[in-house]
Amino acid sequence: PRIRFPHVDNRAVPPINSTVRGIVRAWCPDGATVQLGKAYRGVLGFMPYAEGPAGDPSVGRAREDPAADLEDLPQCIEVGAIRVFNVIGQDAEGHVILSAFSIDRSEEEQRQKRQLVDALPEGTAIVGRVVRSDEKAAEVVCLQPAEARGTFGHILSYDFPQVNSSERMYGLEAARLPEALPQEPLVMPVGLVTEFEVKRHTVSQGLQLSRLERDSRLAWRRAQQVKSYCDRFHEVPRMRILRANKGGIISEFEGVEVFVPLSEILVEGETVTLDSELMREEFVGKTIELSLMREDVSVFKDREKRQMIGSCKYARFQHRNAALQPGAVVEAWVKRVEPFGAILQPKGTRKLGLLHISEISRKHVYDVNEHFQPGDSVTAIIVNIGNGKRMNFSTAELEVNDGDMLEDPESVYATAEEQAEHFREYLRSLQEGDQEGDQEGGDE
C-alpha cells in the first residue's frame, strides 16, 4: 500500500507505516475521527473500530466478525484522548487510515520478545527440532524449556556440528575410508531433535543458536578424560595423522586437534629433522601411537586457537612406565645413594624407586656406598609399588646364592630373568589365595 494523495488541503500526509500522535475528536458507528498533531497538525485521520486498542474486548469482537453491527459497541477510546497511532492506509477522500491495534500489538510483541531474551540468555541450553536445513543455515523450533516452546531460532553453517575425523567416529567403516578423512560440515537433517546452545539473543536479531561450541566443549571434556585415564594407567591411544606442516604433524582425537611438534616426533625410535614434504610422506594417512601431553591455547589475528599437544616420545615413556609392574626386571641408573639404600631410576623413564639396604643382598650390608655409586647401572626386580606409586626394588631376590650381589653382581644380572620367575610364581600364588578368599567370603 502507498499514499495516493501526499497532500490533502495543502497539508502533508504522513507515509504508510509511520507512527503519529493524534486526538480523538468524534465517534461514528464504524470508527473514530482523529486529528493529527505536530508536523501533521490539522490533518484528519480515521480509525476503524476493528483497529481500536488491542486489549479492548469490543475490538476483538469486531475483528472476529467484520459483518457485526457496530452501533451497539461502546467507544473503545474516549473523545479527547491523545495516543499514538500507526498509519495503515488512505481512503478515497485522502483521509489517512489509522490503527491503535497494530501499535499495541507491536508493543506487546516487543514486550514478549524482551521477556524471551531474559528467559534465554547467551549460553542457555535448549532442545529444538530442525524444521528447515540446507548447506548455509537451518531453522530450529524450540521444544524446551517450556517458557520458550514454539520460539524459532536459526543456526548458520559455521555453527553446525563438525564431522569427527577420529576412526572411532566411523566405527567399522573406517578401514574403507580414504586416507584423508572428510572434514565437511554435517548438515542437520530436517526432523532432528537435539540440544543447542544460545549463541546470541536480541530483540532485533532474534535467537541465534550453535552446536559447534557445545560439541567443542564436550569433545574437550572427552579428550581430557582420556588423557587422565592414559596418564593413570599408562595407556597410549592410536591416532591417524591428517596433515603436516613445517612445525610438525597434526591429528585429531575425539574432535580435538592434536599437534605434535618436531621435537616430539620419533622415526624408528630416534629424533630426526624432517621438512614438511618428508613428514607428509612419512606420516600423513598413517595411524601411530601418540600420548596427549597438555592443552595449548594461542591467539592468532585476535582469534583464540585451542589444541592438544601430542608426543611420540611421551608415548614411548608411557609404554616403558606400563611395564613397571611388580615382578618386572628392569635396568636402572643409580641416581643417588643414601644411608638407608639407593635411589634408582629405570632407564628410559622418569620414575624413581628405592632399593632398600635390606634388599641389596640376603647377607648383611654394612654400607651402601661400598656397592653403589651415582651413575652405576643396576639390574633389579620390582617387588612392590607403594600407595604413593613409588617403586621398591630388590636385587636380593635375584641372587642364586646368598651374598652373590656383594661378591659378583654381574653374575646376578646375567641370571636375573631366571631368578625373577621364582618371585613371579610367588606373586601369582598370593593372587590366587586372595581370589579363593573372596569366593569363600561370597559363599558365606
Side-chain angles (χ1 to χ4, degrees), residues 108 110-120 203:
E108 177 63 19
Q110 292 296 313
R111 185 186 66 80
Q112 292 176 353
K113 287 181 178 180
R114 287 192 292 270
Q115 289 179 342
L116 192 59
V117 168
D118 294 338
L120 296 178
V203 173

Side-chain angles (χ1 to χ4, degrees), residues 5 62 113 136 139 157 170 188-189 237 257 268 320 341 353 384:
F5 308 105
K113 287 181 178 180
K136 296 181 179 180
E139 188 173 9
S157 59
Y170 297 96
M188 296 175 294
E257 183 177 285
E268 296 181 356
R320 290 173 177 171
N384 62 64

Side-chain angles (χ1 to χ4, degrees), residues 246-301:
K246 62 182 181 181
I249 55 178
I250 300 167
S251 180
E252 196 173 273
F253 185 75
E254 297 290 340
V256 173
E257 183 177 285
V258 180
F259 176 69
V260 185
L262 282 174
S263 60
E264 296 295 331
I265 296 176
L266 294 177
V267 178
E268 296 181 356
E270 300 295 332
T271 302
V272 296
T273 302
L274 299 174
D275 60 28
S276 57
E277 189 62 35
L278 290 175
M279 281 194 294
R280 289 190 189 96
E281 296 177 3
E282 182 69 30
F283 291 104
V284 173
K286 297 181 180 178
T287 300
I288 64 173
E289 292 185 333
L290 287 177
S291 284
L292 303 175
M293 295 178 63
R294 58 183 173 83
E295 179 183 339
D296 181 72
V297 179
S298 59
V299 179
F300 179 72
K301 293 184 178 180

Side-chain angles (χ1 to χ4, degrees), residues 155-343:
I155 175 171
L156 301 178
S157 59
Y158 51 78
D159 286 318
F160 282 2
Q162 295 291 317
V163 173
N164 186 339
S165 64
S166 68
E167 290 190 3
R168 192 178 72 80
M169 177 75 177
Y170 297 96
L172 298 177
E173 297 295 321
R176 304 175 190 172
L177 293 173
E179 290 187 355
L181 294 174
Q183 295 290 308
E184 294 299 320
L186 184 65
V187 177
M188 296 175 294
V190 173
L192 173 68
V193 176
T194 185
E195 288 189 347
F196 298 89
E197 183 175 290
V198 177
K199 183 177 182 180
R200 190 176 296 109
H201 195 188
T202 63
V203 173
S204 58
Q205 298 181 355
L207 181 62
Q208 183 176 348
L209 303 172
S210 173
R211 265 296 300 266
L212 183 61
E213 294 180 14
R214 187 175 183 85
D215 288 354
S216 177
R217 286 197 298 273
L218 178 60
W220 271 99
R221 284 200 298 270
R222 286 174 176 167
Q224 289 163 349
Q225 288 171 350
V226 171
K227 179 184 181 302
S228 177
Y229 177 87
C230 291
D231 289 344
R232 181 178 178 184
F233 296 101
H234 309 298
E235 296 285 345
V236 178
R238 295 177 60 83
M239 304 182 203
R240 190 185 187 94
I241 304 303
L242 303 176
R243 56 190 186 276
N245 57 34
K246 62 182 181 181
I249 55 178
I250 300 167
S251 180
E252 196 173 273
F253 185 75
E254 297 290 340
V256 173
E257 183 177 285
V258 180
F259 176 69
V260 185
L262 282 174
S263 60
E264 296 295 331
I265 296 176
L266 294 177
V267 178
E268 296 181 356
E270 300 295 332
T271 302
V272 296
T273 302
L274 299 174
D275 60 28
S276 57
E277 189 62 35
L278 290 175
M279 281 194 294
R280 289 190 189 96
E281 296 177 3
E282 182 69 30
F283 291 104
V284 173
K286 297 181 180 178
T287 300
I288 64 173
E289 292 185 333
L290 287 177
S291 284
L292 303 175
M293 295 178 63
R294 58 183 173 83
E295 179 183 339
D296 181 72
V297 179
S298 59
V299 179
F300 179 72
K301 293 184 178 180
D302 297 328
R303 295 188 63 182
E304 184 179 276
K305 183 177 182 180
R306 191 179 181 192
Q307 61 185 1
M308 192 74 80
I309 302 298
S311 172
C312 299
K313 290 182 178 179
Y314 195 67
R316 183 174 62 179
F317 278 121
Q318 290 285 54
H319 276 304
R320 290 173 177 171
N321 289 337
L324 301 178
Q325 301 295 330
V329 174
V330 298
E331 292 185 5
W333 299 110
V334 177
K335 297 297 290 183
R336 65 179 187 272
V337 176
E338 302 288 352
F340 51 82
I343 305 301

Side-chain angles (χ1 to χ4, degrees), residues 22-27 32-34 47 49 52-53 56 74-83 85:
I23 182 171
V24 177
R25 289 302 187 186
W27 274 93
T33 301
V34 179
M47 183 197 75
Y49 198 100
D56 194 292
Q75 297 177 4
C76 54
I77 304 178
E78 293 182 359
V79 174
I82 299 174
R83 65 158 295 154
F85 298 89

